[in-house]
Amino acid sequence: MRVFNFAAGPATLPLEVLEEARAELSDWRGSGMSVLEVSHRSKAFLAVAAEAERRLRDLLSVPDNYRVLFLQGGATLQFAAIPLNLAGADSRADYINTGAWSKKAIAEGRRFVGGLAVIADEAASRYTSVPEAAALAVRADAAYLHYTVNETIGGVEFPYVPDSGAVPLVADLSSTLLSRPLEVARFGLIYAGAQKNIGPAGLTVVIVREDLLGRARAGTPAVLDYAAQAAEGSMLNTPPTFAWYMAGLVFAWLERQGGLAAMARVNEAKARLLYRAIDASGFYVNPVARSCRSWMNVPFTLREPELDGSFLAGARAAGLHNLEGHRSVGGMRASLYNAMPLAGVEALVAFMAEFERSHG
Ligand code: PMP
C-alpha cells in the first residue's frame, strides 16, 4: 500500500513513473538488460539522455542560448562550482541570505571568493520573509548575485525574481524547479538537486547561459567546469544514468499532467488548502510572512509542542508519513512537491482538524 509521503527529499515520486520503471526494469526496451546495466555511451542510452533534455527544455521553455547539464554532487557541489566557474578568487560576488540553504551556499562561496558580500540578510525577520525587491543593492562589478528561491527548511519562497541588472543572476531552485513556469531568460544560471521535483537523488540539473561558459578559473576540476561538461554532453565521466532515465520519465509525466502551468494551479491549490487550515486553527502555527510562503515546503508547529510525538504517531497511523520538521528546527513540515496529489493534502488537513478536536 502506498502512503502519502511528505518527505522533503528524497521525496515522493509519481506512482505511474515508478510502475513504468518497474515494468521495464529487467528487460529494458527489448534489450534483455536493465537500463542500469547499459553503457552511458550506448545508442539507446544517448537517446534517453537527449530525450530527457528535450522534454526539460520544452517544459521550461529554455531559450536556445542556454545549456542544460545533468551533473552529480548535488546542489551542494554547485555551491563550489558556481564561484569556481563564474568568479576569480579576488572577485566580488553578492549573496542574499534567506535561511539555512542560503547560509550553506554563502559559507561555501566564501572558500572561493575573497570579495563575497551578503547584500541582504533576513536575520531580523528570523528568516520568515524575503527582502523587499527595491531594497536589493547589487554591486555593479559583482561576478553574480546568488539567491535561494525556495528555502526548503524555512518554507520561505521569493514571490519575485530579483533584478540584478547586468550582473548574472544565479538561483538555487532545488526545492521549487518545475513546480510552476519559470522565465529562464531572467537568469544567468539555475540549478537544482533532483531529489524533490525531478527524480531520484544523485542527479543535479544546471541550466546555464552560454556566455557564462569558458570562464572557469585555473585549477577548477574538469568535472566541475561547465564548459568542459557542456562540450561532452554532461558525459565527461560516467553520469548517474538511472537517475537521468528516471528524470526523463518524470518529465514525460509532467507533460501528461499538462505541463508547468497545470502543475502551478494544482500546487497553489494544495498550498492554499494547507495554509488556510493552519491559519484558521488556534492550534497550528506557520510563522512565514504570507507574501512569501512556500508552495512546496510548509513548516508548522503545534501551540503545545509536547503533543508533537502524538501528532506524528497519529498521522503515521493515518497513512501520512514523514511530517517531522528538519532536525535543525523540529516541529512539522509537509512537503507538497509535484507528485503529492491534492488528495494527500486533503487527508492531511482532515487529520489535523481531527487531531485538534481531540487534543485542542
Ligand atoms: N539547496 C536547497 C534549497 C536544498 O533544499 C538542498 C537539499 N535539501 C540543497 C541545496 C542541498 O542539496 P544536495 O543535498 O543535493 O546537495
Side-chain angles (χ1 to χ4, degrees), residues 8-10 73-79 100-102 104-105 146 148-153 172-176 191-196 201-204 297 326 333 337:
T76 301
L77 195 55
Q78 293 308 311
F79 295 165
W101 289 109
S102 301
K104 295 217 170 179
H146 180 281
T148 309
V149 179
N150 184 73
E151 286 283 355
T152 318
I153 297 173
D172 178 355
L173 279 140
S174 290
S175 44
T176 189
Y191 64 103
Q195 64 271 23
K196 293 133 188 338
L203 175 71
T204 312
N297 310 99
H326 189 266
R333 173 176 51 173
Y337 299 121

Side-chain angles (χ1 to χ4, degrees), residues 2 23 27 75 85 150 185 193 195 226 256 289 303 306:
R2 293 275 291 173
D27 182 5
N85 278 272
N150 184 73
Q195 64 271 23
Y226 298 136
R256 295 197 297 277
R303 286 214 193 274
E306 58 280 7

Side-chain angles (χ1 to χ4, degrees), residues 21-202:
R22 178 176 59 189
E24 59 182 14
L25 187 62
S26 56
D27 182 5
W28 180 56
R29 301 184 180 177
S31 67
M33 296 173 275
S34 77
V35 65
L36 289 142
E37 301 165 297
V38 300
S39 167
H40 54 296
R41 307 210 186 268
S42 65
K43 225 170 149 183
F45 189 80
L46 289 174
V48 165
E51 186 167 302
E53 177 175 342
R54 181 189 60 74
R55 289 187 194 280
L56 181 59
R57 282 184 172 276
D58 283 355
L59 284 165
L60 281 167
S61 305
V62 176
D64 288 344
N65 63 326
Y66 284 74
R67 301 298 294 262
V68 178
L69 306 177
F70 290 85
L71 304 176
Q72 306 188 53
T76 301
L77 195 55
Q78 293 308 311
F79 295 165
I82 288 159
L84 287 170
N85 278 272
L86 303 186
D90 301 323
S91 323
R92 293 175 153 197
D94 290 355
Y95 282 70
I96 299 173
N97 184 3
T98 49
W101 289 109
S102 301
K103 287 177 193 171
K104 295 217 170 179
I106 291 163
E108 191 73 354
R110 284 198 200 283
R111 296 159 61 98
F112 300 102
V113 186
L116 187 153
V118 176
I119 61 156
D121 192 313
E122 277 302 313
S125 78
R126 293 172 167 257
Y127 302 102
T128 59
S129 190
V130 303
E132 292 288 338
L136 295 175
V138 183
R139 296 177 296 180
D141 59 350
Y144 58 87
L145 170 66
H146 180 281
Y147 79 117
T148 309
V149 179
N150 184 73
E151 286 283 355
T152 318
I153 297 173
V156 172
E157 179 154 18
F158 274 78
Y160 67 90
V161 176
D163 179 3
S164 56
V167 172
L169 185 59
V170 173
D172 178 355
L173 279 140
S174 290
S175 44
T176 189
L177 189 68
L178 302 180
S179 68
R180 68 187 93 183
L182 182 77
E183 200 188 335
V184 175
R186 299 281 300 273
F187 301 87
L189 183 151
I190 65 179
Y191 64 103
Q195 64 271 23
K196 293 133 188 338
N197 270 334
I198 298 174

